[in-house]
Amino acid sequence: MDKVLKIDKSAEKGIVELLKYLLLNDRVSGVFTLRKTGNNGSFDYALITEPALLEDSIPLHPFMHVNAGKILSALPSMRKPVAAVIKPCELRSFVELVKRSQGALDDFLLISYTCGGSFPYKTTVKGQMDKLLPEFWEAVKSGLDSDSIRPTCRACEYFVPMNADLTISLVGEKDLDSKCAIFLHSGKSKSMVEGFEAEISKGELKLSRFDSLVKKRKEQKEKDFKEINIQDSGLDGMIDIFGKCIGCHGCSRICPICHCILCDFESCAYDYDTSMIENELLSRGGVRVPTDTILYQIGRLSHMSFSCTGCGLCTEVCPADIPVSTIFRKTGEEVAGLFDYLPGKDVNEEIPVTIFKEDELSELGND
Amino acid sequence: MSKEFMPKIISFLCKWCTYSGADLAGTNRMKYPPSILPLRVMCSSRVNPVFLIKSFLYGADGVLIGGCHPGDCHYQSGNYYTRRRFAILTTIFDSLGLESERLRLSWISAAEGTKFVRVSTEFTEKIKSMGENPAKKKIFL
């Protein structure tokens, strides 16, 4: 059975205290968390080894500007694990990257929390944070959704972390301001917190308490899928939606799953030379520039959709406001469903395109 | 009167099985429709799904992948990967509302010249009934 740590402090202060303890007692080599970088509301992920720097850390800040999974995979392997406080979707993305040999779970003590969602990054850029944060935390306490969180988060049913060593319980915790409950799942986490002064008891994070929120989020997801209605509008619908694409490839750069240093679609294989343009002009009488935007989107779907964790950053970075994430999640779920695959759930589960079973899909190819 | 619509079907054929099957059909003087535009690949798993997407978006009326029967792959397991990728791609097409019926995967061995003729005729007829690929006329792809 799991253990639960109860600290008589607010959730954020409690976890910072624990991080400090881990760092001071040399249980971890460093701490990876969100930290204020200025006085204008800016923040960033930071890898910290100096305990005093933890003063400015804001591990539970409800914002997501990058996917930490991708950053973790770029961090060096240190003498001891690094304690990383990340969101559940970032953790799932990291697990997907580990499957692709882009990181190792052993390098980290993975700390996550039941996530109430994050705000669009633009709200912090525009300095509206102070107004929104109190309302957000009230909503989290009562286990509801704040109205101003990202649409992707409102449609996310995987807000309880998978594969975390420690889970901070936030959603539905009425006394967040005075109590901090941290669940310890792995042997690694139990030995690491040894000696930490807090009330320790046995307990488990019961999933049933989130049923109503999961149900609500699932309904929202179905509603979003219905709204884009891409399956009924066909090629013309694709042109309507992706016609706005300016070909910046920002969605793949921010995507935690798209880890390739040289993306296939940025290689010279997709360059247009004069003869190709001439051919296009001869056969169609016109060619769209930038070229191949729809090819890029469908191609990217074929590369990574089954591993899409639905973190929603692609939608957020899109300068043309294309609902990329909703489309990728919808298609991704259908593709992953073919193989009963849930991205980020189990690190030992192999990526669908890298394995096969001899006795599957037998209806294909038999004429 | 306009001429009867003869589709263009880009066909990626595995060198060891389907391409040889097509060869056999040829040496036996069997007739198959001129819609098939064969491209020889070393293995059906050489076919990147993006080849299919590109063919489709650039106006191919149909795309055919021909490979060895499961278990007969010259490279042991190539066609099993092809099968998964093909399933993924058709699911993506369905999910986006594109015509996945224009994509076809067929296992045809080197000895199955008649099967090659039958599959290519059937597929051509099916594409004929579906009509031209709408992507052909779109310039904003």
Side-chain angles (χ1 to χ4, degrees), chain A residues 62-92:
Chain A
F63 281 91
M64 188 163 165
H65 57 312
V66 287
N67 191 305
K70 203 172 191 173
I71 307 184
L72 288 190
S73 79
L75 292 183
S77 186
M78 292 169 86
R79 188 172 49 87
K80 282 189 174 159
V82 167
V85 191
I86 57 180
K87 296 175 182 65
C89 55
E90 295 177 314
L91 181 48
R92 287 174 66 213

PDB file of all heavy atoms in Angstrom, chain A residues 62-92:
ATOM      1  N   PRO A  62      -0.108  27.182 -12.132  1.00  0.00           N
ATOM      2  CA  PRO A  62      -0.950  26.566 -13.169  1.00  0.00           C
ATOM      3  C   PRO A  62      -0.718  27.136 -14.570  1.00  0.00           C
ATOM      4  O   PRO A  62      -1.634  27.670 -15.182  1.00  0.00           O
ATOM      5  CB  PRO A  62      -2.362  26.857 -12.674  1.00  0.00           C
ATOM      6  CG  PRO A  62      -2.238  28.102 -11.882  1.00  0.00           C
ATOM      7  CD  PRO A  62      -0.866  28.127 -11.307  1.00  0.00           C
ATOM      8  N   PHE A  63       0.499  27.041 -15.029  1.00  0.00           N
ATOM      9  CA  PHE A  63       0.801  27.503 -16.375  1.00  0.00           C
ATOM     10  C   PHE A  63       1.679  26.481 -17.059  1.00  0.00           C
ATOM     11  O   PHE A  63       2.441  25.782 -16.424  1.00  0.00           O
ATOM     12  CB  PHE A  63       1.536  28.845 -16.354  1.00  0.00           C
ATOM     13  CG  PHE A  63       0.607  29.997 -16.119  1.00  0.00           C
ATOM     14  CD1 PHE A  63       0.354  30.426 -14.822  1.00  0.00           C
ATOM     15  CD2 PHE A  63      -0.022  30.612 -17.178  1.00  0.00           C
ATOM     16  CE1 PHE A  63      -0.514  31.473 -14.606  1.00  0.00           C
ATOM     17  CE2 PHE A  63      -0.898  31.652 -16.960  1.00  0.00           C
ATOM     18  CZ  PHE A  63      -1.152  32.085 -15.669  1.00  0.00           C
ATOM     19  N   MET A  64       1.543  26.443 -18.360  1.00  0.00           N
ATOM     20  CA  MET A  64       2.361  25.513 -19.112  1.00  0.00           C
ATOM     21  C   MET A  64       2.853  26.241 -20.350  1.00  0.00           C
ATOM     22  O   MET A  64       2.085  26.555 -21.242  1.00  0.00           O
ATOM     23  CB  MET A  64       1.484  24.332 -19.495  1.00  0.00           C
ATOM     24  CG  MET A  64       2.247  23.228 -20.112  1.00  0.00           C
ATOM     25  SD  MET A  64       1.204  21.790 -20.043  1.00  0.00           S
ATOM     26  CE  MET A  64       2.045  20.749 -21.169  1.00  0.00           C
ATOM     27  N   HIS A  65       4.130  26.560 -20.363  1.00  0.00           N
ATOM     28  CA  HIS A  65       4.659  27.305 -21.514  1.00  0.00           C
ATOM     29  C   HIS A  65       5.457  26.401 -22.423  1.00  0.00           C
ATOM     30  O   HIS A  65       5.626  26.677 -23.591  1.00  0.00           O
ATOM     31  CB  HIS A  65       5.501  28.474 -21.032  1.00  0.00           C
ATOM     32  CG  HIS A  65       6.626  28.066 -20.134  1.00  0.00           C
ATOM     33  ND1 HIS A  65       6.456  27.213 -19.066  1.00  0.00           N
ATOM     34  CD2 HIS A  65       7.936  28.370 -20.159  1.00  0.00           C
ATOM     35  CE1 HIS A  65       7.628  27.027 -18.478  1.00  0.00           C
ATOM     36  NE2 HIS A  65       8.524  27.716 -19.118  1.00  0.00           N
ATOM     37  N   VAL A  66       5.996  25.323 -21.842  1.00  0.00           N
ATOM     38  CA  VAL A  66       6.671  24.294 -22.636  1.00  0.00           C
ATOM     39  C   VAL A  66       6.265  22.976 -22.020  1.00  0.00           C
ATOM     40  O   VAL A  66       5.686  22.948 -20.944  1.00  0.00           O
ATOM     41  CB  VAL A  66       8.209  24.392 -22.544  1.00  0.00           C
ATOM     42  CG1 VAL A  66       8.739  25.557 -23.319  1.00  0.00           C
ATOM     43  CG2 VAL A  66       8.665  24.442 -21.101  1.00  0.00           C
ATOM     44  N   ASN A  67       6.563  21.874 -22.700  1.00  0.00           N
ATOM     45  CA  ASN A  67       6.287  20.585 -22.097  1.00  0.00           C
ATOM     46  C   ASN A  67       7.552  20.099 -21.415  1.00  0.00           C
ATOM     47  O   ASN A  67       8.576  19.848 -22.056  1.00  0.00           O
ATOM     48  CB  ASN A  67       5.844  19.594 -23.161  1.00  0.00           C
ATOM     49  CG  ASN A  67       5.288  18.330 -22.552  1.00  0.00           C
ATOM     50  OD1 ASN A  67       5.954  17.684 -21.750  1.00  0.00           O
ATOM     51  ND2 ASN A  67       4.064  17.990 -22.907  1.00  0.00           N
ATOM     52  N   ALA A  68       7.484  19.991 -20.073  1.00  0.00           N
ATOM     53  CA  ALA A  68       8.677  19.645 -19.303  1.00  0.00           C
ATOM     54  C   ALA A  68       9.234  18.281 -19.693  1.00  0.00           C
ATOM     55  O   ALA A  68      10.424  18.032 -19.540  1.00  0.00           O
ATOM     56  CB  ALA A  68       8.367  19.660 -17.815  1.00  0.00           C
ATOM     57  N   GLY A  69       8.369  17.397 -20.222  1.00  0.00           N
ATOM     58  CA  GLY A  69       8.847  16.082 -20.650  1.00  0.00           C
ATOM     59  C   GLY A  69       9.993  16.221 -21.627  1.00  0.00           C
ATOM     60  O   GLY A  69      10.997  15.516 -21.556  1.00  0.00           O
ATOM     61  N   LYS A  70       9.829  17.165 -22.538  1.00  0.00           N
ATOM     62  CA  LYS A  70      10.858  17.375 -23.558  1.00  0.00           C
ATOM     63  C   LYS A  70      12.131  17.950 -22.933  1.00  0.00           C
ATOM     64  O   LYS A  70      13.229  17.612 -23.338  1.00  0.00           O
ATOM     65  CB  LYS A  70      10.310  18.328 -24.620  1.00  0.00           C
ATOM     66  CG  LYS A  70      10.996  18.204 -25.958  1.00  0.00           C
ATOM     67  CD  LYS A  70      10.264  19.037 -26.994  1.00  0.00           C
ATOM     68  CE  LYS A  70      10.774  18.722 -28.392  1.00  0.00           C
ATOM     69  NZ  LYS A  70       9.980  19.382 -29.420  1.00  0.00           N
ATOM     70  N   ILE A  71      11.950  18.822 -21.913  1.00  0.00           N
ATOM     71  CA  ILE A  71      13.131  19.416 -21.284  1.00  0.00           C
ATOM     72  C   ILE A  71      13.870  18.366 -20.470  1.00  0.00           C
ATOM     73  O   ILE A  71      15.100  18.291 -20.494  1.00  0.00           O
ATOM     74  CB  ILE A  71      12.741  20.584 -20.366  1.00  0.00           C
ATOM     75  CG1 ILE A  71      11.874  21.571 -21.130  1.00  0.00           C
ATOM     76  CG2 ILE A  71      13.972  21.292 -19.828  1.00  0.00           C
ATOM     77  CD1 ILE A  71      11.522  22.784 -20.333  1.00  0.00           C
ATOM     78  N   LEU A  72      13.113  17.528 -19.731  1.00  0.00           N
ATOM     79  CA  LEU A  72      13.755  16.494 -18.909  1.00  0.00           C
ATOM     80  C   LEU A  72      14.647  15.611 -19.774  1.00  0.00           C
ATOM     81  O   LEU A  72      15.718  15.197 -19.354  1.00  0.00           O
ATOM     82  CB  LEU A  72      12.703  15.623 -18.216  1.00  0.00           C
ATOM     83  CG  LEU A  72      11.904  16.229 -17.068  1.00  0.00           C
ATOM     84  CD1 LEU A  72      11.109  15.130 -16.367  1.00  0.00           C
ATOM     85  CD2 LEU A  72      12.799  16.929 -16.059  1.00  0.00           C
ATOM     86  N   SER A  73      14.177  15.337 -20.984  1.00  0.00           N
ATOM     87  CA  SER A  73      14.957  14.436 -21.828  1.00  0.00           C
ATOM     88  C   SER A  73      16.261  15.091 -22.272  1.00  0.00           C
ATOM     89  O   SER A  73      17.164  14.404 -22.733  1.00  0.00           O
ATOM     90  CB  SER A  73      14.138  13.997 -23.036  1.00  0.00           C
ATOM     91  OG  SER A  73      14.127  14.984 -24.015  1.00  0.00           O
ATOM     92  N   ALA A  74      16.362  16.410 -22.136  1.00  0.00           N
ATOM     93  CA  ALA A  74      17.591  17.082 -22.550  1.00  0.00           C
ATOM     94  C   ALA A  74      18.544  17.311 -21.384  1.00  0.00           C
ATOM     95  O   ALA A  74      19.667  17.754 -21.578  1.00  0.00           O
ATOM     96  CB  ALA A  74      17.250  18.418 -23.197  1.00  0.00           C
ATOM     97  N   LEU A  75      18.096  17.009 -20.148  1.00  0.00           N
ATOM     98  CA  LEU A  75      18.953  17.253 -18.983  1.00  0.00           C
ATOM     99  C   LEU A  75      20.019  16.172 -18.857  1.00  0.00           C
ATOM    100  O   LEU A  75      19.806  15.031 -19.244  1.00  0.00           O
ATOM    101  CB  LEU A  75      18.113  17.286 -17.701  1.00  0.00           C
ATOM    102  CG  LEU A  75      17.151  18.456 -17.535  1.00  0.00           C
ATOM    103  CD1 LEU A  75      16.461  18.362 -16.181  1.00  0.00           C
ATOM    104  CD2 LEU A  75      17.870  19.783 -17.656  1.00  0.00           C
ATOM    105  N   PRO A  76      21.167  16.551 -18.293  1.00  0.00           N
ATOM    106  CA  PRO A  76      22.216  15.549 -18.126  1.00  0.00           C
ATOM    107  C   PRO A  76      21.863  14.559 -17.017  1.00  0.00           C
ATOM    108  O   PRO A  76      21.107  14.887 -16.111  1.00  0.00           O
ATOM    109  CB  PRO A  76      23.434  16.390 -17.732  1.00  0.00           C
ATOM    110  CG  PRO A  76      22.862  17.608 -17.099  1.00  0.00           C
ATOM    111  CD  PRO A  76      21.570  17.879 -17.788  1.00  0.00           C
ATOM    112  N   SER A  77      22.411  13.378 -17.119  1.00  0.00           N
ATOM    113  CA  SER A  77      22.243  12.388 -16.079  1.00  0.00           C
ATOM    114  C   SER A  77      23.199  12.764 -14.944  1.00  0.00           C
ATOM    115  O   SER A  77      24.384  12.937 -15.159  1.00  0.00           O
ATOM    116  CB  SER A  77      22.600  11.026 -16.662  1.00  0.00           C
ATOM    117  OG  SER A  77      22.336  10.027 -15.751  1.00  0.00           O
ATOM    118  N   MET A  78      22.646  12.919 -13.708  1.00  0.00           N
ATOM    119  CA  MET A  78      23.497  13.387 -12.618  1.00  0.00           C
ATOM    120  C   MET A  78      23.850  12.242 -11.670  1.00  0.00           C
ATOM    121  O   MET A  78      23.372  11.138 -11.807  1.00  0.00           O
ATOM    122  CB  MET A  78      22.826  14.555 -11.890  1.00  0.00           C
ATOM    123  CG  MET A  78      22.755  15.779 -12.799  1.00  0.00           C
ATOM    124  SD  MET A  78      21.745  17.104 -12.197  1.00  0.00           S
ATOM    125  CE  MET A  78      22.859  18.002 -11.161  1.00  0.00           C
ATOM    126  N   ARG A  79      24.660  12.569 -10.684  1.00  0.00           N
ATOM    127  CA  ARG A  79      25.138  11.561  -9.725  1.00  0.00           C
ATOM    128  C   ARG A  79      23.976  10.858  -9.047  1.00  0.00           C
ATOM    129  O   ARG A  79      23.953   9.646  -8.882  1.00  0.00           O
ATOM    130  CB  ARG A  79      26.018  12.289  -8.694  1.00  0.00           C
ATOM    131  CG  ARG A  79      26.773  11.449  -7.723  1.00  0.00           C
ATOM    132  CD  ARG A  79      27.727  12.352  -6.944  1.00  0.00           C
ATOM    133  NE  ARG A  79      27.056  13.542  -6.409  1.00  0.00           N
ATOM    134  CZ  ARG A  79      26.432  13.587  -5.231  1.00  0.00           C
ATOM    135  NH1 ARG A  79      26.387  12.534  -4.474  1.00  0.00           N
ATOM    136  NH2 ARG A  79      25.859  14.706  -4.823  1.00  0.00           N
ATOM    137  N   LYS A  80      23.003  11.639  -8.640  1.00  0.00           N
ATOM    138  CA  LYS A  80      21.799  11.096  -8.013  1.00  0.00           C
ATOM    139  C   LYS A  80      20.594  11.589  -8.799  1.00  0.00           C
ATOM    140  O   LYS A  80      20.721  12.519  -9.597  1.00  0.00           O
ATOM    141  CB  LYS A  80      21.723  11.591  -6.573  1.00  0.00           C
ATOM    142  CG  LYS A  80      22.654  10.812  -5.685  1.00  0.00           C
ATOM    143  CD  LYS A  80      22.455  11.132  -4.246  1.00  0.00           C
ATOM    144  CE  LYS A  80      23.319  10.188  -3.424  1.00  0.00           C
ATOM    145  NZ  LYS A  80      23.589  10.698  -2.109  1.00  0.00           N
ATOM    146  N   PRO A  81      19.435  11.023  -8.559  1.00  0.00           N
ATOM    147  CA  PRO A  81      18.280  11.489  -9.332  1.00  0.00           C
ATOM    148  C   PRO A  81      17.979  12.971  -9.094  1.00  0.00           C
ATOM    149  O   PRO A  81      18.392  13.544  -8.085  1.00  0.00           O
ATOM    150  CB  PRO A  81      17.130  10.636  -8.801  1.00  0.00           C
ATOM    151  CG  PRO A  81      17.748   9.497  -8.097  1.00  0.00           C
ATOM    152  CD  PRO A  81      19.101   9.921  -7.657  1.00  0.00           C
ATOM    153  N   VAL A  82      17.290  13.565 -10.023  1.00  0.00           N
ATOM    154  CA  VAL A  82      16.830  14.940  -9.890  1.00  0.00           C
ATOM    155  C   VAL A  82      15.343  14.888  -9.558  1.00  0.00           C
ATOM    156  O   VAL A  82      14.590  14.149 -10.196  1.00  0.00           O
ATOM    157  CB  VAL A  82      17.054  15.705 -11.215  1.00  0.00           C
ATOM    158  CG1 VAL A  82      16.305  17.025 -11.215  1.00  0.00           C
ATOM    159  CG2 VAL A  82      18.539  15.933 -11.451  1.00  0.00           C
ATOM    160  N   ALA A  83      14.941  15.634  -8.516  1.00  0.00           N
ATOM    161  CA  ALA A  83      13.512  15.677  -8.191  1.00  0.00           C
ATOM    162  C   ALA A  83      12.836  16.638  -9.154  1.00  0.00           C
ATOM    163  O   ALA A  83      13.193  17.813  -9.210  1.00  0.00           O
ATOM    164  CB  ALA A  83      13.311  16.138  -6.756  1.00  0.00           C
ATOM    165  N   ALA A  84      11.884  16.134  -9.933  1.00  0.00           N
ATOM    166  CA  ALA A  84      11.239  16.982 -10.922  1.00  0.00           C
ATOM    167  C   ALA A  84       9.754  17.095 -10.614  1.00  0.00           C
ATOM    168  O   ALA A  84       9.071  16.081 -10.464  1.00  0.00           O
ATOM    169  CB  ALA A  84      11.445  16.399 -12.313  1.00  0.00           C
ATOM    170  N   VAL A  85       9.283  18.321 -10.481  1.00  0.00           N
ATOM    171  CA  VAL A  85       7.856  18.533 -10.242  1.00  0.00           C
ATOM    172  C   VAL A  85       7.214  18.930 -11.570  1.00  0.00           C
ATOM    173  O   VAL A  85       7.455  20.018 -12.080  1.00  0.00           O
ATOM    174  CB  VAL A  85       7.603  19.646  -9.200  1.00  0.00           C
ATOM    175  CG1 VAL A  85       6.141  19.644  -8.784  1.00  0.00           C
ATOM    176  CG2 VAL A  85       8.496  19.466  -7.999  1.00  0.00           C
ATOM    177  N   ILE A  86       6.436  18.025 -12.126  1.00  0.00           N
ATOM    178  CA  ILE A  86       5.864  18.294 -13.439  1.00  0.00           C
ATOM    179  C   ILE A  86       4.392  17.898 -13.482  1.00  0.00           C
ATOM    180  O   ILE A  86       3.905  17.191 -12.608  1.00  0.00           O
ATOM    181  CB  ILE A  86       6.645  17.550 -14.558  1.00  0.00           C
ATOM    182  CG1 ILE A  86       6.684  16.047 -14.294  1.00  0.00           C
ATOM    183  CG2 ILE A  86       8.051  18.090 -14.667  1.00  0.00           C
ATOM    184  CD1 ILE A  86       7.420  15.273 -15.354  1.00  0.00           C
ATOM    185  N   LYS A  87       3.698  18.369 -14.513  1.00  0.00           N
ATOM    186  CA  LYS A  87       2.268  18.080 -14.648  1.00  0.00           C
ATOM    187  C   LYS A  87       2.062  16.662 -15.182  1.00  0.00           C
ATOM    188  O   LYS A  87       2.942  16.104 -15.826  1.00  0.00           O
ATOM    189  CB  LYS A  87       1.647  19.098 -15.602  1.00  0.00           C
ATOM    190  CG  LYS A  87       1.722  20.512 -15.058  1.00  0.00           C
ATOM    191  CD  LYS A  87       1.220  21.514 -16.054  1.00  0.00           C
ATOM    192  CE  LYS A  87       1.353  22.911 -15.492  1.00  0.00           C
ATOM    193  NZ  LYS A  87       2.776  23.305 -15.280  1.00  0.00           N
ATOM    194  N   PRO A  88       0.870  16.114 -14.922  1.00  0.00           N
ATOM    195  CA  PRO A  88       0.627  14.737 -15.367  1.00  0.00           C
ATOM    196  C   PRO A  88       0.842  14.537 -16.868  1.00  0.00           C
ATOM    197  O   PRO A  88       1.394  13.516 -17.289  1.00  0.00           O
ATOM    198  CB  PRO A  88      -0.834  14.497 -14.999  1.00  0.00           C
ATOM    199  CG  PRO A  88      -1.141  15.458 -13.913  1.00  0.00           C
ATOM    200  CD  PRO A  88      -0.269  16.649 -14.144  1.00  0.00           C
ATOM    201  N   CYS A  89       0.443  15.516 -17.693  1.00  0.00           N
ATOM    202  CA  CYS A  89       0.606  15.318 -19.136  1.00  0.00           C
ATOM    203  C   CYS A  89       2.075  15.397 -19.529  1.00  0.00           C
ATOM    204  O   CYS A  89       2.526  14.732 -20.464  1.00  0.00           O
ATOM    205  CB  CYS A  89      -0.229  16.319 -19.930  1.00  0.00           C
ATOM    206  SG  CYS A  89       0.073  18.029 -19.512  1.00  0.00           S
ATOM    207  N   GLU A  90       2.829  16.203 -18.773  1.00  0.00           N
ATOM    208  CA  GLU A  90       4.265  16.293 -19.050  1.00  0.00           C
ATOM    209  C   GLU A  90       4.952  14.983 -18.682  1.00  0.00           C
ATOM    210  O   GLU A  90       5.846  14.520 -19.376  1.00  0.00           O
ATOM    211  CB  GLU A  90       4.872  17.444 -18.242  1.00  0.00           C
ATOM    212  CG  GLU A  90       4.330  18.792 -18.655  1.00  0.00           C
ATOM    213  CD  GLU A  90       4.856  19.951 -17.820  1.00  0.00           C
ATOM    214  OE1 GLU A  90       4.876  19.830 -16.583  1.00  0.00           O
ATOM    215  OE2 GLU A  90       5.221  20.965 -18.401  1.00  0.00           O
ATOM    216  N   LEU A  91       4.458  14.377 -17.602  1.00  0.00           N
ATOM    217  CA  LEU A  91       5.014  13.101 -17.165  1.00  0.00           C
ATOM    218  C   LEU A  91       4.728  12.013 -18.204  1.00  0.00           C
ATOM    219  O   LEU A  91       5.603  11.205 -18.552  1.00  0.00           O
ATOM    220  CB  LEU A  91       4.403  12.736 -15.805  1.00  0.00           C
ATOM    221  CG  LEU A  91       4.850  11.454 -15.130  1.00  0.00           C
ATOM    222  CD1 LEU A  91       6.353  11.324 -15.117  1.00  0.00           C
ATOM    223  CD2 LEU A  91       4.331  11.413 -13.705  1.00  0.00           C
ATOM    224  N   ARG A  92       3.503  12.018 -18.713  1.00  0.00           N
ATOM    225  CA  ARG A  92       3.165  11.028 -19.749  1.00  0.00           C
ATOM    226  C   ARG A  92       4.028  11.242 -20.987  1.00  0.00           C
ATOM    227  O   ARG A  92       4.494  10.298 -21.615  1.00  0.00           O
ATOM    228  CB  ARG A  92       1.687  11.135 -20.121  1.00  0.00           C
ATOM    229  CG  ARG A  92       0.760  10.600 -19.043  1.00  0.00           C
ATOM    230  CD  ARG A  92      -0.679  10.875 -19.405  1.00  0.00           C
ATOM    231  NE  ARG A  92      -1.109  10.147 -20.573  1.00  0.00           N
ATOM    232  CZ  ARG A  92      -1.994  10.603 -21.467  1.00  0.00           C
ATOM    233  NH1 ARG A  92      -2.522  11.796 -21.316  1.00  0.00           N
ATOM    234  NH2 ARG A  92      -2.336   9.881 -22.487  1.00  0.00           N
TER     235      ARG A  92
END
